[in-house]
Amino acid sequence: MSIFRTIAMFIYLFGYMIVHYGVLRRAERALAAGDTQLVEELVNKHIPHWSRGILKVTGVSLSVEGLENIPKDTACVFVGNHRSYYDIPLLLASLDKPHGILAKEELEKIPLLNRWMKLLGCVFVQRDDLRASVRALNDATAIVESGKSFVIFPEGTRYKGEEGGAGEFKAGAFRIAVKTGAPVVPVAITGARALFENNGNLCHPGSVHIKVLPPIRTAGMSKAEQKQLPDAVRQAILAQL
């Protein structure tokens, strides 16, 4: 069954974007014309719907806790642990609305998907190029400064260890929050790796739990507090896994 679920996932993933190609073009024209309200309306409608469809087709049961912790009157930086390729559609489907993501450059090469991600406000990063990584962090900082929330996986790559663990949270990702004074909202994702990677990179049904933790204020943080922030967020997430 796993192979059939995987085939169905890819058919749905690209089929949705092909069927709704007219919506994509409409959003791109609106963006070119400066109609950001229409872009946001189309993105907020279709991206969560597309993401939930991926979960449904592959038999994923999703439970979400703590949405009330998301700040309602200010942009924030969501920081999540990273275990699976599923983490992106999981967060696009489960947060208050879809937000831009700091994503690896390989995703920018996927037709149609890359165009939707650009409309969403995603920033693509070359992890092995220091200057490119700095530019990407600066671009993400500008997005948060403009009043839009952003999603980061500060491990930089998927953690391949045992369930309940996480890799090192790199400090660079937290500079976006510190520079803008935006609160950091930790997000703990449990069970995602069993949906794909632990099954030989084939889709497998399962349950995922996402817990949004209370925001951490960064405005006015001392240098010592800034230095401790990555590990403090990591520990808060680990406690929920």
Side-chain angles (χ1 to χ4, degrees), residues 63-178:
S63 61
V64 184
E65 181 182 357
L67 288 177
E68 69 278 4
N69 289 321
I70 299 175
K72 295 177 175 58
D73 56 353
T74 186
C76 64
V77 177
F78 293 98
V79 173
N81 59 305
H82 195 19
R83 293 278 285 150
S84 172
Y85 287 118
Y86 265 87
D87 291 336
I88 290 178
L90 284 167
L91 291 189
L92 291 175
S94 62
L95 295 179
D96 55 333
K97 63 180 182 178
H99 300 287
I101 298 168
L102 191 66
K104 62 181 183 178
E105 62 175 334
E106 288 84 353
L107 293 177
E108 191 176 13
K109 301 173 184 176
I110 300 177
L112 296 181
L113 178 64
N114 55 2
R115 291 163 67 178
W116 275 106
M117 291 183 75
K118 288 175 182 176
L119 287 170
L120 179 59
C122 294
V123 174
F124 302 96
V125 60
Q126 296 174 255
R127 290 173 294 186
D128 56 352
D129 185 325
L130 180 58
R131 290 185 178 180
S133 296
V134 171
R135 286 197 299 271
L137 289 175
N138 288 339
D139 290 343
T141 299
I143 289 172
V144 177
E145 285 177 336
S146 75
K148 296 181 179 179
S149 296
F150 202 76
V151 175
I152 294 177
F153 299 109
E155 292 160 278
T157 188
R158 288 168 294 134
Y159 176 69
K160 300 174 179 63
E162 294 297 321
E163 192 68 42
E168 177 190 359
F169 279 21
K170 295 177 174 60
F174 291 88
R175 291 180 191 142
I176 297 171
V178 171

Side-chain angles (χ1 to χ4, degrees), residues 5 52-62 86 195 203-208:
R5 286 185 184 274
R52 293 185 192 109
I54 291 174
L55 304 182
K56 184 176 181 179
V57 165
T58 55
V60 177
S61 173
L62 174 63
Y86 265 87
L195 305 176
C203 295
H204 193 271
S207 299
V208 175

